[in-house]
Structures are given as structure tokens and as C-alpha cells.
Amino acid sequence: MRKPLILFTLLLLALSAKAQSQQEWRDSLSTLTTLIERHPRNVPLRLHKAAANIELGQWQYALDEYTTVLSLDPGNLTALYYRGFVNQHLGRYAFARQDYEQVLKAEPLNSHALMGLILTDLADHRLTQAFDRANHLVAQIPDDAEALAVRAEVEVQLEMIDAAVMDIEKAIKIEDVKAQRKYPASMDDNITSYQLTAFSLYMRQGNKRKARQALDYLMKIGVPKAYLAEYYSQIDKKK
């Protein structure tokens, strides 16, 4: 079983409020900054502020905040994990690996950190290493849709299209259970991402029938057709 990151739920709460507008995030950031000035050693406040920095695209500020948290609490795995995420986004791949590896040193079964390493390897064009890690991840959690989808992403980069199709279809089958409970689906849901990946792969294989079925599935679970119009047009254009 995967162990949760320390304070992971705390930061997810800050990151999951997607309904907030950019102005609301800026207001939250202003409030948090004021509170931190009064309580500079308060780690939860700094984690919330870093989450707001990420939402506003302030990557360097987020990096500085996580580094400050780690100076106050060197063993804080949430700060290590998300600093790895920020380092990856900034193209600081060696530093991202160090952070993710520190998380894995503390929690060897932490799949989030392992996924972070895989995505860092992909971004850094280390495809063989990414594939080895992805196989390890799927062996560790074989029935996890996200793990299968990550391996499919690596397989696409390696031009292993048939293998990628198999993995993304398995991910869809697993995620479908959640999708049926959550209606309607949105463009931000995992099932939408997986089906659009499948659509892309079917198109590469020249299988327009399956490509259309992937889009029809999304319409069935509530994704508005307007969001899918461009994808449908690709099927109609392709001869």
C-alpha cells in the first residue's frame, strides 16, 4: 500500500479549490503573506502560500517557499515532493530528482514521488530510465489507473504504440468505475485525459472506429460535445 505524504492532505486541500478565480487566489496569497509576516516559522501557512504561488504561476516564489519550509522542517515530505514538482516545471531536473529521491528514501513505496521521477526523466529525454521506472511503478501498483497512464505516456515517447494502447485501455477500464459515479465528467477529469490519449493513439493506428468510440464515451458521461468538436473533425478530415 502507498503511504501518504506527511501533510499531503493539507496541501491538496489548498490545491483542490479549482473554483477559485485568479483574483481569489491573489486575495488568499495576500492574506497568507500577512499571516506569515506575523508567524514566520509557521510551516502550514507557508505550504498554503506555496500552493497559491503555484496556482498563480509564480514558480520561483513557490520554490523559495518550499526551500524555506525545508530549512524549518528538513524532513517535511510534502515540501520535498512539491519542490521536486516545481523544480521539474522550471527545468531544474537534477534538483527535481534529488527531491523526489529524498521522498522515496523516507517512503520507498511512495508512488507519487516515483511518478514525479518518471515525468522528470521524460522531460529530460531519459526515456530508457523513465521506462524502467514506469515498469517498476506498475509492478508496485498494477491496478492503479494513473500508473498505467504514466507508463503509456513513456511508451508513446518510445514509439511503443501498441503497448501504450494496452496500458491506456486498462487505465480507462479501471477509471470507468469512478466515472460512472461522477456525472457529468469534465475536461479536467482523469477519464477524459485517458480517453483523449486513447483517441490520439487510435488515430495513429488508423483506427477511426475506436477513435470515434472514445469520443462517444466522453459524450455519454457528460463531456459537452462543443469541447470535443475539434477531435471529431480530425476523424472526418483523416482519409
Side-chain angles (χ1 to χ4, degrees):
M1 290 181 62
R2 282 174 281 174
K3 297 180 181 179
L5 288 168
I6 295 173
L7 290 176
F8 187 66
T9 302
L10 172 67
L11 192 52
L12 280 182
L13 288 173
L15 286 170
S16 65
K18 295 297 182 183
Q20 285 194 186
S21 67
Q22 291 292 292
Q23 184 57 54
E24 287 171 327
W25 277 113
R26 284 191 286 270
D27 292 342
S28 296
L29 183 60
S30 177
T31 300
L32 287 164
T33 300
T34 299
L35 288 171
I36 288 169
E37 288 174 355
R38 298 174 186 169
H39 309 283
R41 300 183 64 81
N42 188 299
V43 166
L45 285 176
R46 288 189 176 276
L47 289 174
H48 275 76
K49 178 180 177 292
N53 289 140
I54 290 175
E55 287 292 335
L56 291 169
Q58 299 172 350
W59 296 96
Q60 186 60 51
Y61 285 115
L63 178 64
D64 294 343
E65 205 61 75
Y66 289 128
T67 299
T68 298
V69 168
L70 289 166
S71 71
L72 296 169
D73 181 9
N76 192 294
L77 298 187
T78 297
L80 271 172
Y81 173 82
Y82 279 102
R83 190 173 70 174
F85 171 74
V86 171
N87 273 322
Q88 177 192 331
H89 184 89
L90 292 172
R92 294 159 47 93
Y93 302 129
F95 292 107
R97 285 192 189 89
Q98 288 176 12
D99 288 336
Y100 289 137
E101 286 167 356
Q102 281 294 103
V103 175
L104 287 168
K105 184 177 179 180
E107 295 184 350
L109 298 181
N110 192 295
S111 61
H112 299 287
L114 184 51
M115 286 183 195
L117 275 175
I118 294 166
L119 295 175
T120 299
D121 289 336
L122 271 183
D124 202 19
H125 306 293
R126 298 191 178 191
L127 300 184
T128 300
Q129 187 167 291
F131 188 54
D132 289 343
R133 293 193 206 271
N135 285 330
H136 177 67
L137 175 67
V138 173
Q140 182 177 302
I141 44 174
D143 297 321
D144 187 276
E146 193 173 358
L148 289 161
V150 167
R151 187 168 72 176
E153 188 172 346
V154 177
E155 289 163 341
V156 169
Q157 294 299 315
L158 289 168
E159 295 294 328
M160 299 168 61
I161 303 305
D162 290 345
V165 167
M166 290 179 62
D167 274 341
I168 204 64
E169 286 180 343
K170 289 177 186 176
I172 288 168
K173 185 175 181 180
I174 294 167
E175 196 70 19
D176 175 70
V177 177
K178 298 178 186 176
Q180 297 301 329
R181 291 198 301 261
K182 180 184 180 297
Y183 184 90
S186 75
M187 290 300 287
D188 294 326
D189 291 337
N190 282 346
I191 192 65
T192 305
S193 173
Y194 300 163
Q195 284 287 13
L196 291 179
T197 297
F199 165 84
S200 175
L201 292 171
Y202 293 143
M203 291 294 284
R204 290 182 67 168
Q205 291 179 323
N207 193 333
K208 294 200 295 183
R209 179 182 62 83
K210 279 200 165 185
R212 188 177 295 278
Q213 286 177 348
L215 301 182
D216 291 345
Y217 170 95
L218 291 176
M219 282 190 59
K220 183 179 177 181
I221 63 172
V223 176
K225 187 173 183 178
Y227 289 112
L228 304 172
E230 177 58 31
Y231 297 100
Y232 276 110
S233 70
Q234 291 178 39
I235 298 174
D236 296 334
K237 290 176 185 176
K238 190 174 179 66
K239 297 181 179 180

